[in-house]
Amino acid sequence: INLNAKVNEIVVENGKITGIETSNGRYDAEMVILATGVSPNTKILEGIVKMERGYIVVNERMQTSREDIYAAGDCVIVKNFVDSSPFVIQLATTAAKQGIVAGINLAGRNAMYSGALGNFVSVIGDLEVSAVGLTESYLANKMKVVSARGKTLDRPEYAGGREITMKIVCDENGKVLGAQAIGRNASREINVIALAIKAGLSAQDLSALETAYCPAVSDLYSIINLTADLILRKINPSSYIF
């Protein structure tokens, strides 16, 4: 498949997608996913406030380089919570929090935005793909990291369990920096990791995490416990604290 081919047409026959016509020919397909991205319209502030790559630079108060102008949402660059690097994050959840911070400060009070984690989920059918924080590939040239990938069932097999996979990325001391998961209710597990990152928790903390258990909704040994244990085996295989 030529990944640089231009898509000319999505072919629909009898109400169903059957393929795509490209500059490199036709490819059969049952599903087409459009990932086009978003470009903010910030021209109104060009030459008035500081910008980078077309995005508005703001501080922790969502304040631009002009103290009387605030900005929030898809048009701004904020800091990444994990490593404080400049971060463009275009999610409704982060935009809402940034808007609240900007509104509070505009009203004369004081609020701070601590940075974005990029916690997101996408759904394909009934399969969830979710991630939060930084990835191993991003951190590879910045610091020494330890990662592990766990795979288990989201509930016991006799209760209709389905496979769920999680990867957790930590620094060399076990501090949690990011995670990805795929499976039923993957976002539920990733939300726990998001809180762990915000709280500065470690793989040891996740290994010792007590999770709610009932065969109809969860497994006795959660995917978080399992993956955290795999991290600990790499960091210090002789020390466990429960």
Side-chain angles (χ1 to χ4, degrees):
I1 295 176
N2 182 356
L3 297 180
N4 293 315
K6 178 182 178 181
V7 176
N8 296 322
E9 180 185 0
I10 298 173
V11 182
V12 179
E13 299 174 352
N14 299 321
K16 294 183 179 180
I17 294 174
T18 59
I20 55 173
E21 290 285 353
T22 77
S23 57
N24 196 44
R26 172 174 170 148
Y27 298 98
D28 293 334
E30 296 179 355
M31 178 186 295
V32 175
I33 298 173
L34 299 178
T36 57
V38 176
S39 296
N41 184 2
T42 56
K43 291 183 179 180
I44 191 174
L45 290 177
E46 285 184 358
I48 299 175
V49 300
K50 181 179 179 181
M51 293 190 187
E52 291 182 6
R53 294 176 289 137
Y55 293 89
I56 302 167
V57 177
V58 294
N59 59 21
E60 292 179 337
R61 303 182 76 247
M62 305 310 299
Q63 189 177 40
T64 70
S65 55
R66 288 279 296 269
E67 63 178 21
D68 54 345
I69 299 179
Y70 292 76
D74 291 358
C75 63
V76 303
I77 293 181
V78 293
K79 73 174 183 179
N80 188 293
F81 180 85
V82 181
D83 68 350
S84 297
S85 62
F87 196 31
V88 174
I89 183 70
Q90 296 173 323
L91 295 172
T93 49
T94 53
K97 290 180 175 62
Q98 293 165 11
I100 291 171
V101 170
I104 290 173
N105 291 322
L106 277 166
R109 298 188 180 183
N110 190 45
M112 297 289 181
Y113 184 68
S114 60
L117 287 175
N119 189 356
F120 80 92
V121 60
S122 292
V123 180
I124 305 172
D126 61 353
L127 183 70
E128 293 186 2
V129 179
S130 190
V132 68
L134 300 179
T135 64
E136 183 174 14
S137 59
Y138 173 85
L139 292 166
N141 297 322
K142 296 178 179 293
M143 65 173 71
K144 183 178 179 180
V145 297
V146 181
S147 69
R149 182 183 289 108
K151 182 185 295 184
T152 186
L153 299 179
D154 64 342
R155 63 185 67 164
E157 184 175 4
Y158 63 81
R162 289 170 51 181
E163 188 175 277
I164 183 169
T165 302
M166 172 175 278
K167 179 178 181 179
I168 296 177
V169 181
C170 300
D171 68 14
E172 59 184 329
N173 297 313
K175 183 179 179 181
V176 182
L177 303 175
Q180 304 91 46
I182 180 170
R184 180 169 57 189
N185 295 322
S187 59
R188 180 178 66 186
E189 312 298 343
I190 287 295
N191 285 340
V192 176
I193 304 299
L195 180 60
I197 296 174
K198 281 279 189 177
L201 301 184
S202 67
Q204 177 64 74
D205 296 314
L206 294 180
S207 173
L209 176 70
E210 292 187 32
T211 58
Y213 166 65
C214 172
V217 297
S218 61
D219 198 13
L220 180 64
Y221 191 41
S222 81
I223 185 63
I224 293 177
N225 294 145
L226 169 64
T227 311
D229 282 354
L230 295 175
I231 292 277
L232 293 179
R233 290 177 191 177
K234 294 183 177 182
I235 296 175
N236 188 357
S238 63
S239 179
Y240 289 85
I241 301 174
F242 298 105

